[in-house]
Structure formats: C-alpha cells, structure tokens
C-alpha cells in the first residue's frame, strides 16, 4: 500500500488541525478532524466524493533525552465529538520533519466502526520525558487542485 498523496502539499490554514505555534505534546492527545458524513466526502468539501483525505504531519522538537521516548500517530474514530473511547484504525511511528503521512478512506472507517460519527488523529507519546511539536493538516487526496 503506497503512502504517497496525489497532490503537492502546500500548508493552508483552512486545512489545519494543529498549527505550528501550538504547544508541544507531552501526553497522548486526540484531535477531531470532522464527522463521517453520508454520503461521505472530505471534511470541508462535499465535492471530494470518494471520501479520501491525506493527513500530513510535521513533527519537530522531539525530546530524546532518555532515549526511551516513543512517538506515534493514529487514525481514530469515536462515537463522541470529544473523541473519547476511540477505536484505532491505523498507526504510524512519527519521524522528524514532513515525512509523516496517513491516507484516510472515510468509507472504510465508517464500515469498520458503523456507530462512530467522528474521526480524527491521535498523537501517542511514551517514555520518560516525551515532548514533540506537531503541525497537522488534512487535505484531499483526490488529484484535484486545491
């Protein structure tokens, strides 16, 4: 399964889930991206009818002081808007820079968790002194111009 989006990435505030100036993350954090809609579309634009989006994350300032810190990002769904009791659908280890991308098929999320109304991402941190800055965007993976 390829992890390459079909479009060039240009950061855009309209698609920002967490901006570059946000505080460092030192405990697990769930961020709502939007609702799983029927018919499914992108979170901001129903024209992206296939429901596919790409999550792009720039990780920086990773604390590796004690060498036991771990950092990961997951696609999650939840029945509640606060993203409590999430179901984890896919997880990827975070690396420094922009090399963090997850492709999300909202149809598949709705199929696997039919009672869930919301989807998003979760940043999982572990170890003695975890801390990471994460700039997060969601954008269409449609091949269309944005």
């Amino acid at each position: 399964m390829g992890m390459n989006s079909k479009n060039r990435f240009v950061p855009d505030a309209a698609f920002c889930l967490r901006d570059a100036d946000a505080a460092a993350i030192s405990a697990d954090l769930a961020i709502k991206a939007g609702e799983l809609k029927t018919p499914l579309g992108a979170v901001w634009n129903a024209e992206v009818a296939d429901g596919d989006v790409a999550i792009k994350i720039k990780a920086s300032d990773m604390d590796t002081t004690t060498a036991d810190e771990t950092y990961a990002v997951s696609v999650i769904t939840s029945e509640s808007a606060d993203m409590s009791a999430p179901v984890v659908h896919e997880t990827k280890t975070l690396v420094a820079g922009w090399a963090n991308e997850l492709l999300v098929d909202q149809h598949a999320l709705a199929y696997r968790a039919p009672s869930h109304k919301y989807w998003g991402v979760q940043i999982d941190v572990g170890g003695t002194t975890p801390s990471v800055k994460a700039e997060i965007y969601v954008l269409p993976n449609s091949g269309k111009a944005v």
Side-chain angles (χ1 to χ4, degrees):
M1 178 170 78
M3 294 301 283
N4 297 318
S5 67
K6 298 173 189 158
N7 39 276
R8 283 171 291 200
F9 176 59
V10 179
D12 183 331
F15 307 125
C16 186
L17 294 181
R18 187 172 178 86
D19 67 35
D21 296 330
I25 299 166
S26 57
D28 293 353
L29 177 68
I31 302 167
K32 182 177 73 177
E35 290 186 24
L36 290 171
K37 297 185 184 279
T38 305
L40 293 171
V43 292
W44 64 91
N45 182 348
E47 292 175 17
V48 186
D50 63 9
D52 287 346
V53 294
I55 302 290
K56 293 284 285 188
I57 302 164
K58 180 183 182 185
S60 61
D61 299 338
M62 288 179 159
D63 185 329
T64 56
T65 305
T66 55
D68 67 349
E69 292 83 5
T70 58
Y71 303 98
V73 59
S74 301
V75 174
I76 59 173
T77 57
S78 177
E79 291 183 349
S80 53
D82 66 3
M83 302 308 288
S84 60
V87 167
V88 175
H89 294 272
E90 180 181 352
T91 300
K92 183 175 184 178
T93 299
L94 278 178
V95 297
W98 280 112
N100 304 289
E101 181 173 300
L102 289 167
L103 299 183
V104 179
D105 178 342
Q106 294 184 56
H107 292 286
L109 296 182
Y111 177 78
R112 289 190 300 245
S115 66
H116 289 193
K117 184 176 180 181
Y118 303 95
W119 76 278
V121 294
Q122 182 167 289
I123 305 296
D124 294 312
V125 300
T128 307
T129 59
S131 178
V132 62
K133 294 200 75 158
E135 186 177 353
I136 306 173
Y137 295 87
V138 59
L139 61 157
N141 182 42
S142 63
K144 298 177 184 176
V146 266

